[in-house]
Amino acid sequence: MTAESSRQQPGLHQDLPFGETTLALAKAVEQSSSSIVVTNAEGSIEYVNPKFTHLTGYTLAEIKGQTPRFLKSGHTSPEEYAELWRTITSGNEWHGEFLNRKKNGELYWEQASISPVLDGEGRITHFVAVKEDITDRKRIESDLARLNQELEARVQERTAQLQSANQRIAAILDSASDAILLIDTQDRIDLFNPAFSRMFGYRGDEIHGAAAGLGISPDHIQEFLFALRRTRTRGSAEYLEARARRKDGSDFDVSCAFGIVIHNGHIVCNIHDITLIKEAERLKDRFVSMVNHELRTPLSAIVVIAETLTNYYERLSDDRRIGKIQQIVEQTHIMSELVEGVLDMRRLALQRAQRSYPALDMCAVVRRTIADLQMPSQEKRQEVTLVCIPENPCIVQQDATDMRQIWRNLIGNAIKYTPEDGHITVRVGRMTIDAAGAPEDSLEWSFDMPAGLAQGSYVLGQVEDDGYGIPAENQQHLFERFYRGWATASHIPGTGLGLALVKEILDQCGGHILVSSELGHGSRFTFFVPVGEAGEAAERPVSDEDAQS
């Protein structure tokens, strides 16, 4: 653009004709890609360049003499404008961003730099604002911020999902009754669950990083390792039965199932105690062997005698016929006695095989039972009070299911046979019986002593209610199967098996149960459970959660 042509257009170069330098600056201002606004010292607009008009839609003729406040969108506060004005009127430069409104009502963002223009005496004569349209940049920033927020939300959601999954997996591993190992590619134990420590008796620091065959009998260690490596090589599951060895040197039977973790080659090994299954198989084999040997002799004799009678009946005298028949009867009795004996042996052997249990906290069991029965007691507005004597630990070495069955039947009966707003008291304590059959300990609650209770330590359980009570004539039959006494004609549900089951469990473990009741004045059941070997010095009694497993 020439100087002449520039004089034909209103602009800085017309108002400030300072030679070619000024003309070049004026051209730069008019051709600038930035919006430029020049105001006087009072802030009234004297000049805007073509970029300003292109961006906002306002021409110089429309806005000359106005202040730039017509561009306001309401986004910038009056305090911020006041700060801007203080800055530039004090001779300083101001930098910032505006959200302004175009002539057509459209909003746009701009980044502004506003500077004062001083004359030779240092007085402010004008203000110059150079502004960049940053609408696209703001939109990109907003989109990025939104995407970052969405990404962060997704990451948090995914993290929460992973944490929840890890918690579920940990809960499954912690509650599993089977021992579970994670074995790395170097055949070392990387992870293990609490059941492994309980099953084999090793501490955590002895297990982590140990060779994968820890706990496997030396006679079966090679088979175990071969199965593990076949799983890794073939990528398919393997199954193995082996003998295992605890830290204390005792052996037992286990089944081992191997599976591979595809992404890292680690092996998951599930170890299940199959001692009882193997014992049952051995008992079955002995039973079959005994039947095969012991029953064959009388059965063969019966066959021979029967054939003799069939072939020579007419030749035999009456006395000989009667004698042969008597022989058959005798052999039949022998077979019957053998069958009964075999069945009794099998029952006793199974009973012996099932008599090894971990230490169990009876207070924990009864607390869980009361919690389980809370709903029916609350429906009748009954008050259930638990009294655990803390001086001695109430630990027994008995089957957890059997102990829960005792408490559930006794407390459940108390709830059923106690009317609304009644009171039920549950007590747990421990006592020792001396050689004379007398208790060495005193408890702060009354109970009768059963006759003939063996010397040793016992955990006492008692359930007392202020319910309907039991007629005296019914009490001697309470522990018979299917007997319900006066309750048969009542609306109270029941099968008559609960107390019978309690009695049989206590008889089997060497315990005892007593009942004291008066019709209309409630009932009190007191039972005695031998603590067993683990009750004498239990390092870690099984909690009720473990027992549930």
Side-chain angles (χ1 to χ4, degrees):
M1 180 183 296
T2 65
E4 183 178 345
S5 63
S6 67
R7 286 194 299 272
Q8 293 173 352
Q9 302 176 24
L12 282 179
H13 54 286
Q14 288 182 330
D15 298 333
L16 305 171
F18 298 121
E20 293 183 2
T21 300
T22 301
L23 180 62
L25 289 173
K27 286 184 178 180
V29 167
E30 290 194 359
Q31 297 174 9
S32 173
S33 60
S34 300
S35 296
I36 298 176
V37 178
V38 179
T39 72
N40 60 21
E42 286 72 36
S44 299
I45 295 174
E46 294 187 354
Y47 172 79
V48 295
N49 71 341
K51 179 64 178 179
F52 176 90
T53 299
H54 175 76
L55 177 63
T56 67
Y58 291 103
T59 64
L60 177 61
E62 292 177 292
I63 61 174
K64 189 171 184 179
Q66 298 186 46
T67 62
R69 66 171 59 94
F70 67 87
L71 295 171
K72 285 183 178 181
S73 66
H75 179 269
T76 304
S77 68
E79 291 77 16
E80 291 177 282
Y81 282 118
E83 176 63 25
L84 182 159
W85 188 249
R86 281 195 297 271
T87 300
I88 60 177
T89 55
S90 61
N92 297 312
E93 187 174 0
W94 182 90
H95 297 275
E97 295 178 354
F98 294 114
L99 178 62
N100 284 336
R101 191 180 302 277
K102 299 180 182 179
K103 184 177 181 180
N104 61 6
E106 181 183 344
L107 296 176
Y108 71 101
W109 280 96
E110 59 183 5
Q111 187 172 36
S113 175
I114 304 175
S115 305
V117 178
L118 308 179
D119 62 12
E121 298 179 1
R123 290 175 299 189
I124 296 175
T125 61
H126 295 82
F127 295 105
V128 178
V130 180
K131 301 186 284 186
E132 298 287 341
D133 182 4
I134 59 171
T135 304
D136 289 341
R137 191 191 81 188
K138 281 288 191 179
R139 183 173 60 253
I140 293 172
E141 289 176 352
S142 176
D143 290 343
L144 287 175
R146 178 177 52 79
L147 290 174
N148 284 336
Q149 290 177 349
E150 291 177 358
L151 179 60
E152 184 176 354
R154 291 177 183 175
V155 169
Q156 291 176 348
E157 180 182 3
R158 183 57 178 162
T159 301
Q161 291 174 348
L162 290 175
Q163 289 175 343
S164 177
N166 288 337
Q167 289 171 355
R168 290 196 298 270
I169 292 172
I172 291 171
L173 291 176
D174 289 347
S175 62
S177 57
D178 286 354
I180 300 175
L181 298 176
L182 183 65
I183 301 170
D184 64 21
T185 54
Q186 303 301 314
D187 292 344
R188 296 280 174 181
I189 297 174
D190 187 29
L191 293 173
F192 60 93
N193 69 335
F196 185 89
S197 182
R198 292 195 299 269
M199 185 178 291
F200 290 90
Y202 289 99
R203 301 189 311 273
D205 59 331
E206 295 175 309
I207 302 171
H208 188 266
L214 179 69
I216 302 300
S217 171
D219 295 338
H220 291 83
I221 188 66
Q222 290 302 322
E223 284 184 73
F224 180 90
L225 295 176
F226 286 155
L228 188 154
R229 289 161 188 166
R230 281 197 304 270
T231 302
R232 183 174 289 120
T233 302
R234 300 174 182 176
S236 58
E238 291 283 334
Y239 180 84
L240 171 72
E241 289 188 0
R243 290 288 286 173
R245 180 163 295 174
R246 300 182 182 90
K247 184 179 178 180
D248 63 11
S250 59
D251 289 348
F252 62 107
D253 295 298
V254 296
S255 64
C256 305
F258 301 89
I260 189 167
V261 181
I262 300 299
H263 74 279
N264 61 11
H266 288 197
I267 301 296
V268 176
C269 177
N270 187 92
I271 303 175
H272 180 63
D273 186 346
I274 57 172
T275 303
L276 293 180
I277 297 174
K278 286 296 184 180
E279 180 64 21
E281 290 177 355
R282 286 190 283 269
L283 289 171
K284 181 191 69 174
D285 292 341
R286 287 200 295 269
F287 173 77
V288 171
S289 175
M290 184 174 291
V291 169
N292 184 53
H293 180 267
E294 299 295 339
L295 293 186
R296 179 171 292 178
T297 300
L299 185 59
S300 298
I302 291 172
V303 170
V304 170
I305 295 169
E307 288 178 347
T308 299
L309 287 172
T310 301
N311 295 329
Y312 303 103
Y313 185 82
E314 296 296 336
R315 301 180 187 179
L316 297 175
S317 64
D318 291 343
D319 291 340
R320 296 213 36 203
R321 291 172 186 169
I322 293 172
K324 293 296 182 183
I325 293 173
Q326 288 176 340
Q327 289 178 356
I328 292 176
V329 172
E330 291 172 358
Q331 295 299 319
T332 302
H333 283 310
I334 292 173
M335 289 178 61
S336 178
E337 291 175 0
L338 283 173
V339 169
E340 291 295 331
V342 168
L343 292 176
D344 285 341
M345 288 178 61
R346 182 173 185 274
R347 177 179 59 80
L348 293 173
L350 281 174
Q351 186 177 21
R352 286 195 300 271
Q354 296 174 352
R355 288 296 92 189
S356 177
Y357 301 108
L360 180 71
D361 185 350
M362 285 285 265
C363 287
V365 174
V366 72
R367 286 193 186 97
R368 182 58 181 267
T369 305
I370 291 174
D372 290 343
L373 297 173
Q374 187 176 23
M375 185 174 293
S377 65
Q378 287 181 342
E379 289 176 351
K380 299 178 72 174
R381 301 186 302 278
Q382 295 168 338
E383 181 181 353
V384 180
T385 303
L386 172 62
V387 179
C388 285
I389 306 301
E391 283 74 17
N392 292 315
C394 296
I395 308 301
V396 296
Q397 187 180 15
Q398 303 293 346
D399 179 72
T401 302
D402 287 349
M403 297 302 103
R404 285 199 304 273
Q405 193 71 47
I406 292 173
W407 285 114
R408 189 173 186 86
N409 280 310
L410 294 180
I411 298 174
N413 280 352
I415 293 171
K416 287 194 299 183
Y417 292 95
T418 300
E420 293 181 352
D421 301 312
H423 294 79
I424 299 167
T425 303
V426 181
R427 302 181 180 93
V428 186
R430 174 171 164 163
M431 67 179 303
T432 301
I433 304 298
D434 62 20
E440 295 181 358
D441 312 277
S442 62
L443 299 176
E444 297 178 357
W445 33 282
S446 61
F447 57 91
D448 298 324
M449 281 294 299
L453 199 61
Q455 180 182 3
S457 296
Y458 294 83
V459 166
L460 275 68
Q462 188 177 87
V463 179
E464 185 174 11
D465 62 66
D466 58 0
Y468 305 121
I470 306 167
E473 62 271 19
N474 289 170
Q475 294 181 25
Q476 59 181 330
H477 303 290
L478 278 179
F479 302 106
E480 296 175 7
R481 292 185 180 183
F482 303 106
Y483 182 79
R484 299 195 65 218
W486 68 269
T488 304
S490 73
H491 65 281
I492 301 173
T495 63
L497 288 174
L499 289 178
L501 179 59
V502 170
K503 182 71 164 58
E504 290 178 13
I505 291 171
L506 290 169
D507 288 346
Q508 190 177 56
C509 72
H512 202 86
I513 185 167
L514 297 172
V515 59
S516 175
S517 181
E518 183 178 352
L519 190 62
H521 293 85
S523 303
R524 183 177 69 205
F525 289 83
T526 307
F527 62 92
F528 302 75
V529 179
V531 299
E533 295 177 1
E536 301 297 334
E539 290 183 5
R540 194 194 74 84
V542 175
S543 68
D544 194 50
E545 287 74 16
D546 291 331
Q548 293 274 355
S549 301

